[in-house]
Amino acid sequence: MIILAADSSYKDKKVITIGIVSELTGLSERQIRYYEERKLVFPDRTKGGSRRYSFADVELLVEIANKIEDGVQTFEIRQEMAKQKKRNEAEEHKKMIQGQINARFGIRKK
């Protein structure tokens, strides 16, 4: 299962260069760029055009590589990621609505 982080933390800060990501993951820079081309990972770009990745991206790339090694196609991984994103968004929406209901009726969590 591919996990998409819902909260923002140091794991989401895009500060890692592609060379370091390559060292951390064991993937070649070409493989990392390929996964970007296939819309599986979304690095930020500096003004000079260099890619910057987060620790969450590094974890995601390892998961992607493991799935590829297991024979899963990139389009299947992308579909799974989209489904997970929808589930996360639905859960966040549910929490927001519950919070609004709780606030409206003065309900406090214990």
Side-chain angles (χ1 to χ4, degrees), residues 25-64:
T25 62
L27 298 169
S28 69
E29 292 182 17
R30 178 67 197 115
Q31 285 173 300
I32 296 165
R33 287 190 294 271
Y34 174 75
Y35 296 149
E36 178 186 359
E37 290 168 14
R38 301 301 296 165
K39 303 205 183 308
L40 297 175
V41 65
F42 304 93
D44 284 351
R45 295 287 185 131
T46 65
K47 289 179 183 176
S50 298
R51 293 169 174 84
R52 292 289 189 256
Y53 298 86
S54 66
F55 285 104
D57 290 333
V58 171
E59 291 173 356
L60 180 59
L61 283 163
V62 170
E63 288 184 49
I64 290 167

Side-chain angles (χ1 to χ4, degrees), residues 2 10 12 14-15 27-28 37 41-42 45-46 48 53 55 58 65 80 94-95 97 107-108:
I2 294 179
Y10 77 93
D12 298 318
K14 305 233 181 204
V15 296
L27 298 169
S28 69
E37 290 168 14
V41 65
F42 304 93
R45 295 287 185 131
T46 65
Y53 298 86
F55 285 104
V58 171
E80 183 181 332
K94 180 180 171 184
K95 286 179 185 178
I97 296 297
I107 302 169
R108 296 189 185 271

Side-chain angles (χ1 to χ4, degrees), residues 66-110:
N66 288 336
K67 288 185 177 299
I68 297 287
E69 193 173 293
D70 290 341
V72 180
Q73 299 294 313
T74 57
F75 79 92
E76 294 171 305
I77 296 170
R78 194 169 47 253
Q79 287 176 331
E80 183 181 332
M81 289 171 63
K83 288 177 188 175
Q84 183 65 43
K85 182 178 179 184
K86 283 185 181 182
R87 284 191 293 268
N88 289 349
E89 288 171 353
E91 185 62 32
E92 287 300 315
H93 183 72
K94 180 180 171 184
K95 286 179 185 178
M96 181 192 68
I97 296 297
Q98 187 63 52
Q100 290 175 346
I101 291 170
N102 291 352
R104 172 68 175 101
F105 295 105
I107 302 169
R108 296 189 185 271
K109 288 186 175 182
K110 293 183 180 184

